[in-house]
């Protein structure tokens, strides 16, 4: 009953809003009067309300679509926006794949280079100059699942290489020690060939994420530097006179103070005298470059060979010279024939070794048939011990 009364009251009020109304207006000449019934007013008001409602709905939909297209409201809903988003995602994916591909290439190159360093140290073959400086830390972080999956096998190989590098470092240090011992036994300071450079600078801690990579890089840099020193020293050993200048060695005069064969007084003998038949082959005792090749005072026919780093050998009293000045010779190469030219009492070879212009005793250089072979033999034993050890 209450609801019916309220509805009746609302209809009555609604009808009161649209009562018959009279309108007067001037058409330019006369005043005219007309009336609009209440029912007509109600119909026109309804039509206007519906029109306004649909217009407002259209405007709101257009505004909503514009907002969606600009992304202000969150998810893009237009086909164009969705396509643009897909293109952006594809572009990013292509960039990620390219970055992973480059990281994989660098990792593979580093694995190959590190293997060459390890092999060079353990086998004694190859040269640090051919391998080049170790590839530094690769900056790509590889956070994605795809990157971790692609790079995982390479990182496992690098982990195994790190363990091999420890053994290679021990082998290199032992070979380095053996070579320096040989040099010192000959009275030659290893520092003549290898200088130890200084290092320093303020300390700045590395990020935790770079610690593993940085440690591995430092390990291989250290191994590479040791290999460089070892290579220089072993190449220097090749240039140190260690071969016998003649096949059959015996002495008629040694190095040092002796009785001069012509005057009978004490005199300094700067080399050793090796007798033999006229024309006995004379060989270069190490690699080098011919300095003098001709007649020179009491030496008679003389050959000098410059072996680098201030080391020189002299071959005197030759009957024939078979090389020319400023030509390179190899260890064991035939350079002349034994004779008795110059200040000599008979066919023999006067052989000298000089370091920085000062004559030294040649015998320590020849006490071993080949320093190089001995170094290589000991290095091979050290390598087997290092590789087979723990």
């Amino acid at each position: 009953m209450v609801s019916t009364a309220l509805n009746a009251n609302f209809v009555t009020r609604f009808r009161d809003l649209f009562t018959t109304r009279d309108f007067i207006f001037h058409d330019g000449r006369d005043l005219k009067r007309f009336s609009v019934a209440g029912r007509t007013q109600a119909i026109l008001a309804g039509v206007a309300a519906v029109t306004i409602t649909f217009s407002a709905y259209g405007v709101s939909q257009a505004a909503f679509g514009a907002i969606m297209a600009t992304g202000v409201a969150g998810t893009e809903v237009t086909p164009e926006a969705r396509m643009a988003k897909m293109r952006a995602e594809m572009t990013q994916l292509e960039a990620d794949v390219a970055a992973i591909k480059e990281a994989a290439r660098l990792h593979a190159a580093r694995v190959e280079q590190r293997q060459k360093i390890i092999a060079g140290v353990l086998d004694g073959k190859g040269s640090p100059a051919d391998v080049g400086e170790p590839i530094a830390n690769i900056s790509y972080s590889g956070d994605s699942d795809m990157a971790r999956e692609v790079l995982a096998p390479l990182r496992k190989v690098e982990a195994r290489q790190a363990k091999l590098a420890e053994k290679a470092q021990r082998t290199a240090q032992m070979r380095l020690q053996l070579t320096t011992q040989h040099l010192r036994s000959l009275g030659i300071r290893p520092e003549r060939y290898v200088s130890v450079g200084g290092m320093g600078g303020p300390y700045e801690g590395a990020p935790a994420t770079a610690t593993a990579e940085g440690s591995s890089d430092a390990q291989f840099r250290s191994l590479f530097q040791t290999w460089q020193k070892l290579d220089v020293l072993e190449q220097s050993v090749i240039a140190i006179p260690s071969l016998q200048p003649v096949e059959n060695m015996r002495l008629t005069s040694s190095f040092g103070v002796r009785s001069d064969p012509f005057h009978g007084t004490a005199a300094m003998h700067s080399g050793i005298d090796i007798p033999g038949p006229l024309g006995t082959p004379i060989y270069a005792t190490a690699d080098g470059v011919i300095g003098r090749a001709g007649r020179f005072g009491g030496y008679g026919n003389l050959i000098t060979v410059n072996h680098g780093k201030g080391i020189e050998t002299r071959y005197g009293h030759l009957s024939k010279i078979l090389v020319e000045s400023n030509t390179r010779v190899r260890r064991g190469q035939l350079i002349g024939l034994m004779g008795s030219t110059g200040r000599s009492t008979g066919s023999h070879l006067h052989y000298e070794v000089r370091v920085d212009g000062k004559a030294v005793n040649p015998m320590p250089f020849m006490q071993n048939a080949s320093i190089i072979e001995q170094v290589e033999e000991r290095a091979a034993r050290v390598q087997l011990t290092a590789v087979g050890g723990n």
Side-chain angles (χ1 to χ4, degrees), residues 48 56 81 113 120 153 192 204 235 262 289 299 324 327 333 360:
Q113 185 193 53
R192 176 185 294 271
E204 183 174 348
Q235 291 300 318
F262 289 93
V289 176
Y299 286 101
E324 296 181 358
T327 58
Q333 180 177 333
V360 298

Side-chain angles (χ1 to χ4, degrees), residues 97-113 135-136 138 140 147 150-151 154 158:
V97 170
I100 294 171
K101 183 178 178 181
E102 178 64 12
R105 186 190 68 80
L106 290 175
H107 271 283
R110 186 166 69 175
V111 165
E112 182 179 3
Q113 185 193 53
I135 297 175
I138 299 171
Y140 181 72
V150 170
L151 300 178
L154 292 170
E158 288 182 327

Side-chain angles (χ1 to χ4, degrees), residues 297-335:
Y299 286 101
N301 290 331
L302 174 69
I303 295 175
T304 64
V305 181
N306 178 13
H307 304 286
K309 301 297 182 181
I311 299 176
E312 178 190 74
T313 51
R314 296 184 178 186
Y315 310 79
H317 308 309
L318 303 176
S319 63
K320 190 172 184 178
I321 295 173
L322 302 176
V323 291
E324 296 181 358
S325 298
N326 300 317
T327 58
R328 179 167 291 279
V329 293
R330 296 297 180 186
R331 181 174 178 269
Q333 180 177 333
L334 180 65
I335 59 175

Side-chain angles (χ1 to χ4, degrees), residues 90-150:
M90 287 298 298
T91 301
Q92 183 60 47
L93 181 60
E94 289 174 357
D96 291 342
V97 170
I100 294 171
K101 183 178 178 181
E102 178 64 12
R105 186 190 68 80
L106 290 175
H107 271 283
R110 186 166 69 175
V111 165
E112 182 179 3
Q113 185 193 53
R114 288 180 173 183
Q115 194 61 33
K116 289 180 180 178
I117 294 174
I118 293 171
V121 173
L122 294 178
D123 298 340
K125 298 178 181 179
S127 167
D130 296 333
V131 175
E133 291 288 335
I135 297 175
N137 182 26
I138 299 171
S139 59
Y140 181 72
S141 60
D143 291 333
S144 68
D145 291 338
M146 181 168 57
R148 283 192 289 271
E149 184 176 353
V150 170

Side-chain angles (χ1 to χ4, degrees), residues 339-351:
S340 186
T341 57
R343 193 170 184 269
S344 171
T345 61
S347 178
H348 74 285
L349 170 69
H350 175 84
Y351 175 68

